[in-house]
Amino acid sequence: MKKNGRRRRVPKIGLACAGGGIEGAVYEIGALCALEEAIEGLSFSNAHVYVGVSAGAIITASLANGITPRQMSRAILSAQHDVHPITPSTFYSPAYREYFSRAGHIPHTIGSMVWGYIRHPGDISLGGSLSRLTELLPVGVFDNTPIRDYMKLNFSYEGRTDDFRELKTRLRIVATDLDSSKTVVFGSPGFDDVPVSLAVQASTALPAVYTPVRINNRNYIDGVAQRTVHASVAMDEGADLTICVNPIVPYEALEDAESVLKEMLMERGLPAVLSQTFRTMIHSRMNVGINRYKQEYKDQDIIVIEPDSKDYRMFFTNIFSFSSRKEVCNYAYQSTRLHLKKNADEINAILNKYGLFLNETSLRDELKSLYDNRYRNTGEKTVSDLSITLKKLDMVLDDM
């Protein structure tokens, strides 16, 4: 394609996916399906660079290996050709080895604690001595080795690889060095000899949830510990346009919401309160980062896709249920389509710089769904068919 007698440069598209656990991964899959379908000229199978952190590392590593968003959307429900299903057990396997290791230190720790108190009774109180018992607490509740095993299994098929150096595109997996608190970008020069699956395992090691992952005598934890989406990594790799998908947003109850929703966070106890606190901190930090990127990378563009903070479904859905996973994935698909439709002028202004554009005809099609009839149970099919019939009737009446 030429412009003024010169060949137009093919734009470099980057994709940056943030974390969010299994729920976040499922959201990102649905959002990517909508984006790829709605943006003409966009394919997530041939991006210039993929950047993944935490759950986003699972998604981007799969994309870099040729697994499409549509394949992943079906894999969350059942095994597909060359793609194994994502299950809760992949994410939530108890860290038995860590438990037994800490238990083995009980005699020595208690003995050392008692002996120290006997030798220096005036230096520290009995309560202070007992504080050493915290050393016996496991550093993580779950073991994310199954995540690595899952990735290795999917990468074992022909045409895929677990080696950064053998990929046809750039894949960057972000983690944090626990002992130095520095960000490490696996896949970049000097860190590309680590298997992709092991880098993903390190990036998903959220502190207190998963045990740190040891690589080359260093301990690594979730890359979210430093930043949220690490979009700057894609831009430093030369991406003209970076699409960021972030599933981590705090829940914002509306003033006129039902009282049951207003009180739900407190009623759900400590996990819900901690989740809201974590989401608020992460999202605030991401907004600061995005605003800074717009100043530092003025010749490059960013499009951010994330859930509506006022929609309680992303916060309270039971992701352990297969039907809930399908609901979240379809919600992400539909809400992303709605976001693109509402902000079409602004988004098209960015896309058009790179020869891309929104298919607004497709976005206006209210009958579109992520899943076809093969993935609906009898009740869902009946409701869906009735809904489609009513929408078609509305269209006919509008044309009369």
Side-chain angles (χ1 to χ4, degrees):
M1 192 173 184
K2 294 184 178 181
K3 186 177 181 180
N4 298 327
R6 290 182 293 183
R7 185 175 297 276
R8 184 174 180 178
R9 183 174 69 86
V10 176
K12 296 177 179 178
I13 307 299
L15 173 67
C17 291
I22 186 171
E23 180 183 26
V26 170
Y27 173 87
E28 288 173 339
I29 291 169
L32 291 174
C33 286
L35 287 166
E36 195 170 59
E37 179 184 272
I39 301 177
E40 294 289 342
L42 176 68
S43 171
F44 288 122
S45 297
N46 57 9
H48 171 69
V49 58
Y50 300 90
V51 179
V53 56
S54 194
I58 298 172
I59 305 304
T60 52
S62 299
L63 291 169
N65 263 291
I67 302 173
T68 68
R70 281 285 180 172
Q71 284 178 293
M72 287 186 268
S73 73
R74 293 189 287 268
I76 67 172
L77 303 181
S78 62
Q80 300 296 308
H81 177 63
D82 292 353
V83 185
H84 290 267
I86 298 174
T87 64
S89 62
T90 303
F91 285 80
Y92 303 113
S93 294
Y96 292 120
R97 182 177 298 179
E98 172 67 9
Y99 303 161
F100 294 143
S101 175
R102 294 289 165 175
H105 289 86
I106 291 176
H108 177 269
T109 301
I110 293 180
S112 175
M113 178 186 69
V114 173
W115 179 243
Y117 180 74
I118 292 173
R119 288 184 60 195
H120 308 286
D123 287 350
I124 189 170
S125 66
L126 180 59
S129 297
L130 292 174
S131 66
R132 285 199 57 191
L133 291 177
T134 57
E135 298 174 13
L136 299 174
L137 294 175
V139 294
V141 177
F142 301 108
D143 177 12
N144 66 349
T145 301
I147 294 178
R148 181 188 181 188
D149 295 338
Y150 171 80
M151 304 304 291
K152 284 178 66 177
L153 187 60
N154 279 333
F155 297 161
S156 65
Y157 293 99
E158 185 178 355
R160 300 175 188 167
T161 180
D162 199 24
D163 191 328
F164 282 102
R165 297 162 295 189
E166 294 178 359
L167 289 169
K168 298 177 182 179
T169 187
R170 304 182 190 195
L171 172 64
R172 303 293 184 254
I173 302 299
V174 184
T176 302
D177 186 318
L178 176 63
D179 301 307
S180 69
S181 76
K182 293 181 179 179
T183 296
V184 173
V185 182
F186 291 107
S188 62
F191 292 94
D192 55 359
D193 59 334
V194 174
V196 174
S197 57
L198 183 56
V200 171
Q201 182 188 358
S203 183
T204 57
L206 183 65
V209 178
Y210 295 114
T211 56
V213 177
R214 196 162 183 80
I215 303 175
N216 297 331
N217 297 317
R218 304 293 295 182
N219 295 304
Y220 293 94
I221 58 173
D222 198 320
V224 172
Q226 285 284 1
R227 298 177 191 172
T228 306
V229 292
H230 292 269
S232 59
V233 174
M235 292 185 283
D236 287 338
E237 292 283 352
D240 300 307
L241 169 63
T242 300
I243 298 174
C244 303
V245 184
N246 170 49
I248 308 175
V249 296
Y251 172 58
E252 180 184 347
L254 298 173
E255 286 300 319
D256 58 349
E258 296 180 15
S259 60
V260 66
L261 292 180
K262 287 184 179 181
E263 299 171 0
M264 198 170 288
L265 285 177
M266 283 290 289
E267 292 175 353
R268 292 294 179 100
L270 182 60
V273 173
L274 290 178
S275 176
Q276 178 77 332
T277 303
F278 174 77
R279 288 165 178 260
T280 301
M281 292 171 59
I282 291 294
H283 194 251
S284 174
R285 188 174 62 184
M286 189 200 76
N287 287 335
V288 171
I290 294 297
N291 290 331
R292 188 177 71 249
Y293 296 155
K294 290 178 180 178
Q295 298 299 317
E296 296 178 358
Y297 301 89
K298 293 183 178 179
D299 296 328
Q300 295 160 279
D301 289 296
I302 299 177
I303 292 177
V304 179
I305 302 296
E306 58 187 14
D308 185 346
S309 62
K310 297 180 178 63
D311 195 327
Y312 68 89
R313 283 173 293 186
M314 275 297 294
F315 196 93
F316 297 112
T317 299
N318 177 14
I319 205 65
F320 287 96
S321 162
F322 274 99
S323 60
S324 293
R325 262 175 276 166
K326 185 172 71 172
E327 179 185 343
V328 168
C329 201
N330 192 54
Y331 160 76
Y333 172 81
Q334 297 294 358
S335 64
T336 299
R337 281 171 47 82
L338 182 62
H339 172 78
L340 295 175
K341 182 180 176 181
K342 286 184 175 180
N343 300 278
D345 291 341
E346 178 185 349
I347 293 173
N348 261 329
I350 297 174
L351 294 176
N352 293 167
K353 297 181 187 179
Y354 308 104
L356 306 172
F357 63 92
L358 289 175
N359 184 335
E360 296 187 52
T361 301
S362 174
L363 290 175
R364 286 194 293 270
D365 185 353
E366 297 182 1
L367 305 182
K368 276 188 173 292
S369 175
L370 180 59
Y371 295 106
D372 59 28
N373 288 343
R374 287 175 297 170
Y375 300 97
R376 294 180 185 145
N377 58 40
T378 304
E380 289 175 321
K381 280 190 64 178
T382 301
V383 173
S384 177
D385 292 344
L386 177 59
S387 176
I388 290 174
T389 301
L390 291 174
K391 286 180 179 179
K392 286 182 177 180
L393 179 60
D394 286 340
M395 291 178 183
V396 172
L397 293 175
D398 287 341
D399 293 335
M400 291 179 64

